[in-house]
Amino acid sequence: RLRLSCDCFMFCFVPSYQQFPRLCATREALRIKECCPSWEGDGSPCGASSGRGFCQDVEVPDQPDGPQYPFSGLDDREKWPLVFYNRTCQCAGNFMGFNCADCKFGYFGVNCNDRRESLRRNIFHLSRAERIRLMSYLNLAKQTISRDYVVATGTYQEMENGSNPMFADVSLYDVFVWMHYYVSRNALLGGPGNVWTDVDFAHWAPAFLPWHRLYLLHWEHEIRKLTGDMDFTIPYWDWRDAQGCDVCTDELMGARSSQDPSLLSPGSVFSSWKVLCSQAQNYNDRGVLCDAVEEGPLRRNPGNHNRNVVERLPTSADVEFTLSLTNYDTGAMDRGANMSFRNTLEGFGDPQTGLGNSSRMGMHAALHVFMNGSMSSVQGSANDPIFLLHHAFVDSIYEQWLRRHEPSPSQYPESDAPIGHNSEYHMVPFLPLYRNREFFISSKDLGYEYSYLLNAMFFILILKWKNAFALSEKQPLIRSSDTEETKHRNYQTTI
């Protein structure tokens, strides 16, 4: 555990733009509850002198939450981020970031004026060079300490209301591991074993899909900044009708070890990875937060799971039934929600009947259980890089539903959802701040597309229109045999 002071810059770091900003993890920042670091471009807080943003009071919603969490004032995530900060940077125009130094998703360039759409592709459609590059980027993120962010290892009360900061340095990859742990951890009610388990600020309720959409966008954003590869996108694993873990090869996410089936093959770069924040029961028993220290090797034993919980991997029919559900969420908007698209996709609604509180896990949850290792713990699941490929595909199903049903913003609940999930709630633990409703929109409005959706949903129409135009204007025809990149480039030209 590392206790940081304002002069703790003793490592070689690379940029990262999530939570907690190092410049805001000081006694002074915590004392005045202000996180408004200067933008290096002009030296002013939030880049105010250049009009990039301003330091403003945080406004939190007062709409009632659901009954699942019957406490108030006990958990640092309540009314995020007010326990830690009541003033943060609020960026203008296309600017983004804890100090407004970055561009919003989908925008690039010095002044964030370059609008560009990125393409997420099937991992099996990547070239060998692209696969090698993906593995090297993942490993680089795992080995590189984050310059701009640290993670909390104690509660605000344990920090003596900020006078004794408790934060740790972790790698860029592990910042995201910690974020997923922190948002989903149980609430500490005081003392060993005294926890509330029926609470999760990113799962089991409406924000599940918006939160993970933002998570992936930030992860993608960070890899681009780390590597300088502005064309990088997270590939997806299309697991429909899969008979096993197709991506579990040493060329991709790691094969099974011949010595220990729960470990990865030494031929995989991921076999040397160590996990953190993976021992939820241990933290609960002690009544503490994860201390962000290494806890052993990455584990995975796909297929050797409890068949009473997950019978098989999701099928194309399961996905299609889920997509047919017209209501985003229903009833109490939790794991018992019936005929809820969100609950069925998350895996607690039966993908054949739509009834909630299913005795078996389906869809998203089925993959986690099937992996039978680090992926199977909600709080520690992001330790396994398959998490990214899996959630990219889950996000693509969310995107299909948004395009098919074109829900009005009012479909996302403004009140009475479980704590953390109402539309105006700031997503835990992101700094800069984002509201749940801001990611209840199409991926195209956030600057990215999925290759198989481009093909399936409107490529045929584009092909007919473009080819008719090409015949009259003597332009190149688009063919069904064209690569995904060619199709995307021609689509971009068309629009």
Side-chain angles (χ1 to χ4, degrees), residues 107-118:
Y107 289 89
F108 299 83
V110 176
N111 296 312
C112 303
N113 291 326
D114 180 11
R115 172 73 172 171
R116 217 162 64 223
E117 186 175 272
S118 302

Side-chain angles (χ1 to χ4, degrees), residues 124-391:
F124 292 110
H125 295 171
L126 302 184
S127 68
R128 184 173 183 273
E130 289 169 331
R131 294 183 187 187
I132 292 172
R133 188 180 307 129
L134 171 65
M135 302 309 130
S136 67
Y137 285 179
L138 285 164
N139 203 43
L140 180 62
K142 184 70 171 180
Q143 306 304 325
T144 307
I145 298 295
S146 170
R147 183 189 75 181
D148 288 336
Y149 273 86
V150 290
V151 301
T153 57
T155 65
Y156 191 68
Q157 183 179 21
E158 289 175 321
M159 295 186 200
E160 300 171 13
N161 297 330
S163 63
N164 181 34
M166 298 170 65
F167 296 95
D169 292 303
V170 296
S171 73
L172 175 59
Y173 186 95
D174 287 338
V175 167
F176 287 88
V177 172
W178 178 89
M179 289 172 68
H180 195 263
Y181 151 76
Y182 190 80
V183 75
S184 60
R185 66 174 177 82
N186 298 149
L188 305 179
L189 303 182
N194 190 16
V195 300
W196 188 260
T197 59
D198 192 14
V199 62
D200 191 313
F201 287 74
H203 301 84
W204 310 341
F208 167 68
L209 293 166
W211 190 94
H212 285 84
R213 171 161 285 193
L214 173 60
Y215 180 94
L216 293 179
L217 280 165
H218 260 302
W219 198 92
E220 206 166 55
H221 186 69
E222 290 313 311
I223 294 298
R224 291 171 180 169
K225 298 185 75 67
L226 172 65
T227 63
D229 183 354
M230 293 297 117
D231 294 323
F232 171 79
T233 55
I234 299 172
Y236 59 86
W237 173 29
D238 183 348
W239 34 248
R240 289 174 295 182
D241 306 311
Q243 299 303 304
C245 183
D246 302 339
V247 297
C248 293
T249 66
D250 283 345
E251 184 184 16
L252 293 174
M253 313 314 291
R256 195 191 310 268
S257 167
S258 60
Q259 302 299 314
D260 184 339
S262 72
L263 296 177
L264 274 61
S265 159
S268 168
V269 67
F270 304 118
S271 64
S272 64
W273 279 27
K274 305 300 182 184
V275 302
L276 70 157
C277 299
S278 65
Q279 300 176 1
Q281 189 58 53
N282 176 271
Y283 314 141
N284 288 349
D285 291 344
R286 294 160 52 207
V288 299
L289 295 183
C290 159
D291 59 9
V293 300
E294 293 180 348
E295 296 171 338
L298 177 64
R299 292 189 177 273
R300 189 193 304 149
N301 192 1
N304 292 320
H305 59 285
N306 186 343
R307 299 280 172 162
N308 293 322
V309 177
V310 168
E311 183 180 6
R312 53 170 171 72
L313 290 175
T315 66
S316 297
D318 293 339
V319 172
E320 186 52 41
F321 175 84
T322 302
L323 284 167
S324 73
L325 297 171
T326 58
N327 293 315
Y328 180 72
D329 225 332
T330 63
M333 297 172 282
D334 55 15
R335 285 171 286 185
N338 295 320
M339 306 306 288
S340 156
F341 166 72
R342 186 276 315 162
N343 196 39
T344 305
L345 177 53
E346 191 169 358
F348 303 106
D350 189 305
Q352 296 177 338
T353 66
L355 298 181
N357 283 327
S358 175
S359 60
R360 286 183 168 173
M361 301 293 97
M363 296 297 286
H364 152 265
L367 260 290
H368 283 277
V369 175
F370 177 85
M371 286 301 161
N372 193 31
S374 302
M375 269 272 280
S376 303
S377 156
V378 175
Q379 296 177 26
S381 58
N383 278 290
D384 192 330
I386 289 179
F387 178 95
L388 298 165
L389 312 183
H390 170 42
H391 273 275

Side-chain angles (χ1 to χ4, degrees), residues 35 37 51 68 124 168 173 184 343 410 417 432 454 463 481 493:
C35 184
Q68 294 86 355
F124 292 110
Y173 186 95
S184 60
N343 196 39
S410 63
L454 179 67
L463 184 149
S481 59
T493 302

Side-chain angles (χ1 to χ4, degrees), residues 465-466 475 486-495:
W465 185 92
K466 183 74 174 178
Q475 298 291 325
T486 300
K487 293 173 182 177
H488 189 245
R489 184 169 59 251
N490 286 333
Y491 168 69
Q492 287 284 76
T493 302
T494 303
I495 60 172

